[in-house]
PDB file of all heavy atoms in Angstrom:
ATOM      1  N   GLU A 388     -27.852 -13.849  13.350  1.00 85.00           N
ATOM      2  CA  GLU A 388     -27.015 -13.173  14.346  1.00 85.00           C
ATOM      3  C   GLU A 388     -25.627 -12.866  13.784  1.00 85.00           C
ATOM      4  O   GLU A 388     -25.081 -11.793  14.009  1.00 85.00           O
ATOM      5  CB  GLU A 388     -26.888 -14.030  15.608  1.00 85.00           C
ATOM      6  CG  GLU A 388     -26.125 -13.326  16.721  1.00 85.00           C
ATOM      7  CD  GLU A 388     -26.150 -14.080  18.036  1.00 85.00           C
ATOM      8  OE1 GLU A 388     -26.917 -15.058  18.159  1.00 85.00           O
ATOM      9  OE2 GLU A 388     -25.399 -13.678  18.944  1.00 85.00           O
ATOM     10  N   ASP A 389     -25.054 -13.812  13.022  1.00 87.00           N
ATOM     11  CA  ASP A 389     -23.731 -13.573  12.432  1.00 87.00           C
ATOM     12  C   ASP A 389     -23.769 -12.412  11.438  1.00 87.00           C
ATOM     13  O   ASP A 389     -22.833 -11.600  11.378  1.00 87.00           O
ATOM     14  CB  ASP A 389     -23.222 -14.838  11.729  1.00 87.00           C
ATOM     15  CG  ASP A 389     -22.706 -15.877  12.721  1.00 87.00           C
ATOM     16  OD1 ASP A 389     -22.423 -15.505  13.880  1.00 87.00           O
ATOM     17  OD2 ASP A 389     -22.610 -17.053  12.338  1.00 87.00           O
ATOM     18  N   GLN A 390     -24.843 -12.335  10.646  1.00 87.00           N
ATOM     19  CA  GLN A 390     -24.987 -11.228   9.694  1.00 87.00           C
ATOM     20  C   GLN A 390     -25.120  -9.890  10.431  1.00 87.00           C
ATOM     21  O   GLN A 390     -24.577  -8.872   9.993  1.00 87.00           O
ATOM     22  CB  GLN A 390     -26.214 -11.445   8.801  1.00 87.00           C
ATOM     23  CG  GLN A 390     -26.034 -12.568   7.780  1.00 87.00           C
ATOM     24  CD  GLN A 390     -27.332 -12.887   7.057  1.00 87.00           C
ATOM     25  OE1 GLN A 390     -28.433 -12.608   7.564  1.00 87.00           O
ATOM     26  NE2 GLN A 390     -27.222 -13.480   5.874  1.00 87.00           N
ATOM     27  N   LEU A 391     -25.834  -9.911  11.555  1.00 87.00           N
ATOM     28  CA  LEU A 391     -26.012  -8.693  12.354  1.00 87.00           C
ATOM     29  C   LEU A 391     -24.663  -8.213  12.892  1.00 87.00           C
ATOM     30  O   LEU A 391     -24.331  -7.026  12.775  1.00 87.00           O
ATOM     31  CB  LEU A 391     -26.965  -8.961  13.509  1.00 87.00           C
ATOM     32  CG  LEU A 391     -27.150  -7.806  14.502  1.00 87.00           C
ATOM     33  CD1 LEU A 391     -27.791  -6.604  13.825  1.00 87.00           C
ATOM     34  CD2 LEU A 391     -27.993  -8.260  15.704  1.00 87.00           C
ATOM     35  N   TRP A 392     -23.882  -9.134  13.454  1.00 90.00           N
ATOM     36  CA  TRP A 392     -22.577  -8.750  14.001  1.00 90.00           C
ATOM     37  C   TRP A 392     -21.616  -8.313  12.888  1.00 90.00           C
ATOM     38  O   TRP A 392     -20.818  -7.392  13.073  1.00 90.00           O
ATOM     39  CB  TRP A 392     -21.968  -9.894  14.801  1.00 90.00           C
ATOM     40  CG  TRP A 392     -22.580 -10.056  16.163  1.00 90.00           C
ATOM     41  CD1 TRP A 392     -23.349 -11.078  16.610  1.00 90.00           C
ATOM     42  CD2 TRP A 392     -22.484  -9.122  17.258  1.00 90.00           C
ATOM     43  NE1 TRP A 392     -23.738 -10.857  17.912  1.00 90.00           N
ATOM     44  CE2 TRP A 392     -23.218  -9.668  18.335  1.00 90.00           C
ATOM     45  CE3 TRP A 392     -21.847  -7.902  17.423  1.00 90.00           C
ATOM     46  CZ2 TRP A 392     -23.327  -9.017  19.560  1.00 90.00           C
ATOM     47  CZ3 TRP A 392     -21.962  -7.244  18.656  1.00 90.00           C
ATOM     48  CH2 TRP A 392     -22.686  -7.800  19.700  1.00 90.00           C
ATOM     49  N   ARG A 393     -21.701  -8.953  11.741  1.00 91.00           N
ATOM     50  CA  ARG A 393     -20.872  -8.554  10.611  1.00 91.00           C
ATOM     51  C   ARG A 393     -21.207  -7.116  10.203  1.00 91.00           C
ATOM     52  O   ARG A 393     -20.311  -6.289   9.965  1.00 91.00           O
ATOM     53  CB  ARG A 393     -21.064  -9.511   9.431  1.00 91.00           C
ATOM     54  CG  ARG A 393     -20.345  -9.121   8.138  1.00 91.00           C
ATOM     55  CD  ARG A 393     -18.852  -9.082   8.313  1.00 91.00           C
ATOM     56  NE  ARG A 393     -18.162  -8.684   7.085  1.00 91.00           N
ATOM     57  CZ  ARG A 393     -16.980  -8.095   7.056  1.00 91.00           C
ATOM     58  NH1 ARG A 393     -16.328  -7.830   8.177  1.00 91.00           N
ATOM     59  NH2 ARG A 393     -16.419  -7.770   5.911  1.00 91.00           N
ATOM     60  N   ALA A 394     -22.501  -6.800  10.135  1.00 89.00           N
ATOM     61  CA  ALA A 394     -22.929  -5.448   9.791  1.00 89.00           C
ATOM     62  C   ALA A 394     -22.458  -4.450  10.848  1.00 89.00           C
ATOM     63  O   ALA A 394     -22.019  -3.341  10.522  1.00 89.00           O
ATOM     64  CB  ALA A 394     -24.447  -5.394   9.669  1.00 89.00           C
ATOM     65  N   LYS A 395     -22.518  -4.858  12.104  1.00 90.00           N
ATOM     66  CA  LYS A 395     -22.090  -3.973  13.200  1.00 90.00           C
ATOM     67  C   LYS A 395     -20.606  -3.624  13.072  1.00 90.00           C
ATOM     68  O   LYS A 395     -20.203  -2.465  13.253  1.00 90.00           O
ATOM     69  CB  LYS A 395     -22.366  -4.653  14.540  1.00 90.00           C
ATOM     70  CG  LYS A 395     -21.963  -3.824  15.774  1.00 90.00           C
ATOM     71  CD  LYS A 395     -20.751  -4.415  16.436  1.00 90.00           C
ATOM     72  CE  LYS A 395     -20.446  -3.827  17.800  1.00 90.00           C
ATOM     73  NZ  LYS A 395     -20.535  -2.401  18.009  1.00 90.00           N
ATOM     74  N   TYR A 396     -19.766  -4.638  12.725  1.00 89.00           N
ATOM     75  CA  TYR A 396     -18.335  -4.373  12.634  1.00 89.00           C
ATOM     76  C   TYR A 396     -17.967  -3.613  11.357  1.00 89.00           C
ATOM     77  O   TYR A 396     -17.016  -2.830  11.353  1.00 89.00           O
ATOM     78  CB  TYR A 396     -17.538  -5.673  12.780  1.00 89.00           C
ATOM     79  CG  TYR A 396     -17.335  -5.989  14.244  1.00 89.00           C
ATOM     80  CD1 TYR A 396     -18.090  -6.949  14.891  1.00 89.00           C
ATOM     81  CD2 TYR A 396     -16.422  -5.257  14.994  1.00 89.00           C
ATOM     82  CE1 TYR A 396     -17.932  -7.196  16.251  1.00 89.00           C
ATOM     83  CE2 TYR A 396     -16.249  -5.491  16.342  1.00 89.00           C
ATOM     84  CZ  TYR A 396     -17.008  -6.461  16.974  1.00 89.00           C
ATOM     85  OH  TYR A 396     -16.850  -6.676  18.320  1.00 89.00           O
ATOM     86  N   ILE A 397     -18.726  -3.802  10.296  1.00 90.00           N
ATOM     87  CA  ILE A 397     -18.532  -2.970   9.100  1.00 90.00           C
ATOM     88  C   ILE A 397     -18.885  -1.522   9.439  1.00 90.00           C
ATOM     89  O   ILE A 397     -18.156  -0.584   9.102  1.00 90.00           O
ATOM     90  CB  ILE A 397     -19.396  -3.483   7.926  1.00 90.00           C
ATOM     91  CG1 ILE A 397     -18.867  -4.827   7.416  1.00 90.00           C
ATOM     92  CG2 ILE A 397     -19.429  -2.453   6.797  1.00 90.00           C
ATOM     93  CD1 ILE A 397     -19.751  -5.467   6.362  1.00 90.00           C
ATOM     94  N   TYR A 398     -19.993  -1.356  10.150  1.00 90.00           N
ATOM     95  CA  TYR A 398     -20.440  -0.023  10.566  1.00 90.00           C
ATOM     96  C   TYR A 398     -19.397   0.640  11.464  1.00 90.00           C
ATOM     97  O   TYR A 398     -19.014   1.792  11.265  1.00 90.00           O
ATOM     98  CB  TYR A 398     -21.775  -0.142  11.303  1.00 90.00           C
ATOM     99  CG  TYR A 398     -22.296   1.152  11.873  1.00 90.00           C
ATOM    100  CD1 TYR A 398     -23.037   2.035  11.090  1.00 90.00           C
ATOM    101  CD2 TYR A 398     -22.041   1.503  13.200  1.00 90.00           C
ATOM    102  CE1 TYR A 398     -23.509   3.231  11.618  1.00 90.00           C
ATOM    103  CE2 TYR A 398     -22.505   2.689  13.732  1.00 90.00           C
ATOM    104  CZ  TYR A 398     -23.237   3.548  12.943  1.00 90.00           C
ATOM    105  OH  TYR A 398     -23.690   4.738  13.462  1.00 90.00           O
ATOM    106  N   ASP A 399     -18.906  -0.112  12.462  1.00 87.00           N
ATOM    107  CA  ASP A 399     -17.922   0.435  13.402  1.00 87.00           C
ATOM    108  C   ASP A 399     -16.616   0.820  12.711  1.00 87.00           C
ATOM    109  O   ASP A 399     -15.926   1.740  13.143  1.00 87.00           O
ATOM    110  CB  ASP A 399     -17.612  -0.588  14.508  1.00 87.00           C
ATOM    111  CG  ASP A 399     -18.724  -0.679  15.533  1.00 87.00           C
ATOM    112  OD1 ASP A 399     -19.665   0.126  15.456  1.00 87.00           O
ATOM    113  OD2 ASP A 399     -18.653  -1.578  16.401  1.00 87.00           O
ATOM    114  N   SER A 400     -16.254   0.098  11.640  1.00 85.00           N
ATOM    115  CA  SER A 400     -14.983   0.361  10.964  1.00 85.00           C
ATOM    116  C   SER A 400     -15.023   1.646  10.141  1.00 85.00           C
ATOM    117  O   SER A 400     -13.974   2.212   9.827  1.00 85.00           O
ATOM    118  CB  SER A 400     -14.605  -0.816  10.048  1.00 85.00           C
ATOM    119  OG  SER A 400     -15.394  -0.814   8.866  1.00 85.00           O
ATOM    120  N   ALA A 401     -16.231   2.110   9.805  1.00 87.00           N
ATOM    121  CA  ALA A 401     -16.333   3.238   8.870  1.00 87.00           C
ATOM    122  C   ALA A 401     -17.045   4.464   9.431  1.00 87.00           C
ATOM    123  O   ALA A 401     -16.904   5.555   8.869  1.00 87.00           O
ATOM    124  CB  ALA A 401     -17.062   2.791   7.603  1.00 87.00           C
TER     125      ALA A 401
END
Side-chain angles (χ1 to χ4, degrees):
E388 185 172 350
D389 283 342
Q390 288 172 337
L391 175 64
W392 283 112
R393 175 62 181 153
K395 180 252 191 317
Y396 276 102
I397 290 174
Y398 176 85
D399 284 354
S400 75

